[in-house]
Amino acid sequence: MARRGKRVDLMRWTEEQLKAYQDARKAGGKTVSVQPGQMARTYRVSTPDDMNKLEARYAESYLYPRKLTGEIIDYKFQPLKFRLAKACFYTVDFLVICPDQMEIHEVKGHWEDDARVKWKTAAEMFPWFRFVAVQWVRGQWKFEYYH
């Protein structure tokens, strides 16, 4: 690829870019080089056993204390994946077992349009679960219920 007579080699990384890439591979993340000459960027990929910080905070500060008091029987992280349409899936953040019903808790820092549509679609397709959207707003948990 030539640009004004200079050769641009997309695979030529600096030592820092190579180290960032190797560290990301060890941590289980993916690395994306945005443009040649810029630092490589890393992001974490969530695995079923790996909660993000907000999900971990929700489990520790909200679900676990309620399990200890008997308000809920148990909870599991990402135990279910619903098929909504061909090649369209919704992965449950938390399945919460209450004494009288089962709830699906979706924990979000902010909502993207497609995530909200999937959540509502799943709630309509699987009415035997109670669907709860949870957000951390101004230092407290905010709940939205879909009926």
Side-chain angles (χ1 to χ4, degrees):
M1 179 185 272
R3 190 178 289 170
R4 294 187 191 151
K6 293 182 181 177
R7 184 170 181 265
V8 177
D9 188 356
L10 297 177
M11 293 305 293
R12 175 169 269 162
W13 287 353
T14 65
E15 290 294 321
E16 293 85 17
Q17 288 172 315
L18 178 60
K19 175 137 179 51
Y21 174 78
Q22 290 170 337
D23 292 344
R25 295 286 295 196
K26 288 177 189 171
K30 292 188 177 179
T31 301
V32 178
S33 181
V34 179
Q35 290 182 0
Q38 286 187 344
M39 287 297 295
R41 298 180 189 226
T42 352
Y43 62 94
R44 298 246 337 133
V45 177
S46 181
T47 62
D49 298 330
D50 189 27
M51 294 183 206
N52 64 35
K53 289 179 184 177
L54 189 61
E55 292 163 341
R57 178 191 294 176
Y58 181 67
E60 292 168 11
S61 71
Y62 186 82
L63 293 175
Y64 184 68
R66 278 155 185 76
K67 182 179 176 181
L68 291 178
T69 62
E71 189 177 334
I72 64 174
I73 297 168
D74 202 2
Y75 63 92
K76 297 290 179 196
F77 178 68
Q78 292 187 343
L80 301 172
K81 189 173 196 175
F82 294 134
R83 182 179 177 165
L84 306 178
K86 187 176 182 180
C88 181
F89 296 90
Y90 167 67
T91 302
V92 171
D93 279 349
F94 290 97
L95 173 65
V96 180
I97 310 299
C98 300
D100 58 342
Q101 64 185 354
M102 290 190 291
E103 296 180 345
I104 302 294
H105 290 216
E106 181 68 24
V107 180
K108 292 288 183 196
H110 71 281
W111 281 97
E112 296 290 336
D113 290 338
D114 65 328
R116 186 171 287 278
V117 168
K118 284 183 177 183
W119 179 70
K120 288 183 176 183
T121 302
E124 290 175 5
M125 290 178 69
F126 304 96
W128 45 88
F129 295 103
R130 182 178 187 199
F131 281 75
V132 182
V134 182
Q135 283 188 290
W136 182 252
V137 180
R138 295 186 185 116
Q140 63 183 358
W141 295 111
K142 177 185 162 193
F143 297 92
E144 175 186 343
Y145 301 93
Y146 191 86
H147 302 289

Short mmCIF file of all heavy atoms in Angstrom, two decimals, residues 19-39:
data_model
loop_
_atom_site.label_atom_id
_atom_site.label_comp_id
_atom_site.label_asym_id
_atom_site.label_seq_id
_atom_site.Cartn_x
_atom_site.Cartn_y
_atom_site.Cartn_z
N LYS A 19 3.96 -5.31 23.08
CA LYS A 19 3.74 -5.65 24.48
C LYS A 19 2.26 -5.58 24.84
O LYS A 19 1.74 -6.46 25.53
CB LYS A 19 4.55 -4.72 25.39
CG LYS A 19 4.28 -4.93 26.86
CD LYS A 19 5.52 -4.91 27.67
CE LYS A 19 5.31 -5.10 29.14
NZ LYS A 19 4.51 -6.21 29.55
N ALA A 20 1.55 -4.55 24.35
CA ALA A 20 0.12 -4.43 24.62
C ALA A 20 -0.64 -5.61 24.03
O ALA A 20 -1.54 -6.17 24.66
CB ALA A 20 -0.42 -3.12 24.05
N TYR A 21 -0.24 -6.04 22.84
CA TYR A 21 -0.88 -7.18 22.21
C TYR A 21 -0.62 -8.46 23.02
O TYR A 21 -1.55 -9.22 23.29
CB TYR A 21 -0.34 -7.35 20.78
CG TYR A 21 -0.84 -8.60 20.10
CD1 TYR A 21 -2.11 -8.65 19.56
CD2 TYR A 21 -0.04 -9.74 20.01
CE1 TYR A 21 -2.58 -9.79 18.95
CE2 TYR A 21 -0.49 -10.88 19.40
CZ TYR A 21 -1.77 -10.91 18.86
OH TYR A 21 -2.23 -12.05 18.27
N GLN A 22 0.61 -8.68 23.42
CA GLN A 22 0.94 -9.89 24.19
C GLN A 22 0.23 -9.90 25.54
O GLN A 22 -0.27 -10.94 25.97
CB GLN A 22 2.45 -9.99 24.37
CG GLN A 22 3.18 -10.30 23.08
CD GLN A 22 4.68 -10.16 23.19
OE1 GLN A 22 5.19 -9.45 24.05
NE2 GLN A 22 5.41 -10.84 22.30
N ASP A 23 0.17 -8.74 26.22
CA ASP A 23 -0.53 -8.65 27.50
C ASP A 23 -2.02 -8.94 27.32
O ASP A 23 -2.64 -9.61 28.15
CB ASP A 23 -0.34 -7.27 28.13
CG ASP A 23 1.10 -7.04 28.59
OD1 ASP A 23 1.85 -8.03 28.70
OD2 ASP A 23 1.44 -5.87 28.82
N ALA A 24 -2.60 -8.44 26.25
CA ALA A 24 -4.02 -8.67 25.99
C ALA A 24 -4.29 -10.14 25.73
O ALA A 24 -5.30 -10.69 26.20
CB ALA A 24 -4.49 -7.84 24.80
N ARG A 25 -3.41 -10.79 25.01
CA ARG A 25 -3.60 -12.22 24.74
C ARG A 25 -3.54 -13.04 26.03
O ARG A 25 -4.30 -13.96 26.22
CB ARG A 25 -2.53 -12.73 23.76
CG ARG A 25 -2.59 -12.12 22.38
CD ARG A 25 -3.72 -12.68 21.61
NE ARG A 25 -3.47 -14.09 21.41
CZ ARG A 25 -4.08 -14.84 20.53
NH1 ARG A 25 -4.98 -14.32 19.77
NH2 ARG A 25 -3.80 -16.11 20.42
N LYS A 26 -2.61 -12.67 26.92
CA LYS A 26 -2.50 -13.37 28.20
C LYS A 26 -3.74 -13.16 29.06
O LYS A 26 -4.16 -14.04 29.78
CB LYS A 26 -1.26 -12.90 28.96
CG LYS A 26 0.04 -13.36 28.37
CD LYS A 26 1.22 -12.79 29.14
CE LYS A 26 2.52 -13.07 28.43
NZ LYS A 26 3.64 -12.35 29.05
N ALA A 27 -4.34 -11.96 28.98
CA ALA A 27 -5.50 -11.62 29.80
C ALA A 27 -6.80 -12.09 29.19
O ALA A 27 -7.85 -11.93 29.78
CB ALA A 27 -5.55 -10.10 30.02
N GLY A 28 -6.75 -12.66 28.01
CA GLY A 28 -7.97 -13.16 27.38
C GLY A 28 -8.74 -12.10 26.63
O GLY A 28 -9.88 -12.31 26.24
N GLY A 29 -8.15 -10.95 26.39
CA GLY A 29 -8.81 -9.89 25.65
C GLY A 29 -8.44 -9.94 24.19
O GLY A 29 -7.67 -10.77 23.74
N LYS A 30 -9.00 -9.02 23.41
CA LYS A 30 -8.66 -8.90 22.01
C LYS A 30 -7.98 -7.56 21.81
O LYS A 30 -8.22 -6.61 22.54
CB LYS A 30 -9.91 -8.98 21.14
CG LYS A 30 -10.56 -10.34 21.16
CD LYS A 30 -11.67 -10.40 20.16
CE LYS A 30 -12.27 -11.80 20.13
NZ LYS A 30 -13.36 -11.91 19.18
N THR A 31 -7.12 -7.49 20.82
CA THR A 31 -6.41 -6.26 20.55
C THR A 31 -6.80 -5.75 19.17
O THR A 31 -6.89 -6.51 18.22
CB THR A 31 -4.89 -6.50 20.57
OG1 THR A 31 -4.56 -6.99 21.86
CG2 THR A 31 -4.11 -5.24 20.30
N VAL A 32 -7.02 -4.45 19.08
CA VAL A 32 -7.38 -3.84 17.81
C VAL A 32 -6.41 -2.69 17.56
O VAL A 32 -6.28 -1.81 18.40
CB VAL A 32 -8.82 -3.30 17.86
CG1 VAL A 32 -9.17 -2.63 16.55
CG2 VAL A 32 -9.80 -4.40 18.17
N SER A 33 -5.73 -2.71 16.44
CA SER A 33 -4.88 -1.59 16.07
C SER A 33 -5.72 -0.64 15.25
O SER A 33 -6.19 -0.98 14.17
CB SER A 33 -3.68 -2.09 15.27
OG SER A 33 -2.85 -1.00 14.94
N VAL A 34 -5.95 0.56 15.76
CA VAL A 34 -6.87 1.48 15.13
C VAL A 34 -6.30 2.04 13.84
O VAL A 34 -6.91 1.98 12.80
CB VAL A 34 -7.23 2.63 16.10
CG1 VAL A 34 -8.16 3.61 15.46
CG2 VAL A 34 -7.85 2.06 17.35
N GLN A 35 -5.10 2.59 13.88
CA GLN A 35 -4.43 3.12 12.70
C GLN A 35 -2.94 2.84 12.84
O GLN A 35 -2.43 2.77 13.96
CB GLN A 35 -4.65 4.62 12.57
CG GLN A 35 -6.06 5.01 12.21
CD GLN A 35 -6.19 6.52 12.05
OE1 GLN A 35 -5.23 7.27 12.22
NE2 GLN A 35 -7.38 6.97 11.72
N PRO A 36 -2.27 2.72 11.71
CA PRO A 36 -0.84 2.52 11.80
C PRO A 36 -0.18 3.67 12.57
O PRO A 36 -0.54 4.82 12.40
CB PRO A 36 -0.38 2.51 10.34
CG PRO A 36 -1.60 2.21 9.56
CD PRO A 36 -2.75 2.74 10.35
N GLY A 37 0.75 3.32 13.44
CA GLY A 37 1.45 4.33 14.20
C GLY A 37 0.81 4.64 15.54
O GLY A 37 1.44 5.25 16.39
N GLN A 38 -0.44 4.24 15.75
CA GLN A 38 -1.08 4.46 17.04
C GLN A 38 -0.87 3.23 17.92
O GLN A 38 -0.57 2.16 17.43
CB GLN A 38 -2.59 4.68 16.88
CG GLN A 38 -2.95 6.03 16.33
CD GLN A 38 -4.45 6.24 16.37
OE1 GLN A 38 -5.21 5.30 16.52
NE2 GLN A 38 -4.86 7.48 16.22
N MET A 39 -1.05 3.43 19.22
CA MET A 39 -0.91 2.32 20.15
C MET A 39 -2.02 1.31 19.93
O MET A 39 -3.14 1.68 19.59
CB MET A 39 -0.99 2.82 21.59
CG MET A 39 0.25 3.57 22.04
SD MET A 39 1.71 2.53 22.04
CE MET A 39 1.28 1.36 23.30
#
